[in-house]
Amino acid sequence: MEKKIKALIIGATGLVGNELLHRLLDSEVYVGVTALVRRPTGLSHPKLTERIIDFDEMELAADEFEVQDVFCCLGTTIKKAGSKEAFRKVDYDYPLKAAELAKARGASQYIVVSAIGADPETKVFYSRVKGELESALITLQFDSLHLVHPSLLLGKRNEFRTAEALSGYLSPVFSPLLRGRLARFKPIKAEDVAAAMLQIAVDGEKGTNIYEWPELDEAARRRA
Ligand SMILES: NC(=O)c1ccc[n+]([C@@H]2O[C@H](COP(=O)([O-])OP(=O)(O)OC[C@H]3O[C@@H](n4cnc5c(N)ncnc54)[C@H](OP(=O)(O)O)[C@@H]3O)[C@@H](O)[C@H]2O)c1
């Protein structure tokens, strides 16, 4: 029989996060799901505790971090954030702070959407921030740290993002051509990333694990 445990999610109003929130609430694995958000999700569910917070003062919600599994789907773009510093706050400071708060309260798993190419040594700022976050998370020594590395995300957003729009349009043509070692660059639906994240939380290996398109696709299909 599966354990009944609690989850916390940050980024639940986003493309991946909102898909994931629905799945966490539907899943029998979790008895309770806490979403820390800066604006309402619009969802109402008996298992859902929604708390609107200022992410600069996350420690004021420290009591919410007494959970086993933490899911991080936070993220922004430099354009949207307004500066590299503001981007780094959302894509590095907040996910790391959440991990520290959860680890200090005994959380065992941290599952985070990072990105393909995450590398603390790269000159590409976006990928470097993602890589630096991963390096910092590794030092926290969760029982299980799951680093999700999608390439371009596909899904319906309220805002227009040129690369995603182009990718979504061209994906049926070029995606099948990305085979073998190139398969990791296949665009992936946000709903598949979310499904994979839940499945990974349920049956992922202990230790630090990285999931690219082939593993995400497989995990998304494996779901019960
Ligand atoms: N887009 C891609 O093609 C792509 C590719 C690879 C990896 N990724 C990564 O995948 C992750 C998820 O992407 P996504 O497209 O699902 O993200 P998204 O739709 O842009 O959602 C981002 C989430 O972060 C929250 N957030 C942003 N700025 C915040 C702030 N200052 N304070 C508090 N919360 C804030 C948003 O809240 P609000 O709803 O309130 O704004 C939202 O819940 C990101 O880390 C992204 O870098 C994306």
Side-chain angles (χ1 to χ4, degrees), residues 37-85:
V37 285
R38 63 173 176 174
R39 65 183 174 93
T41 60
L43 269 184
S44 163
H45 191 285
K47 285 200 307 197
L48 176 64
T49 303
E50 182 173 302
R51 186 151 161 195
I52 296 179
I53 64 161
D54 175 350
F55 278 71
D56 283 330
E57 298 184 333
M58 209 186 294
E59 57 284 348
L60 297 180
D63 52 322
E64 304 292 358
F65 285 83
E66 288 191 15
V67 299
Q68 288 76 30
D69 294 355
V70 176
F71 294 87
C72 175
C73 306
L74 275 186
T76 188
T77 59
I78 298 171
K79 189 176 166 195
K80 208 169 158 186
S83 67
K84 284 184 171 180
E85 292 69 30

Side-chain angles (χ1 to χ4, degrees), residues 13 15-16 38-39 74 126 130 151 153 157 161 164:
T13 51
L15 192 61
V16 174
R38 63 173 176 174
R39 65 183 174 93
L74 275 186
Y126 173 86
K130 296 290 194 191
S151 180
L153 292 174
R157 297 186 186 276
R161 294 188 187 178
E164 285 179 20

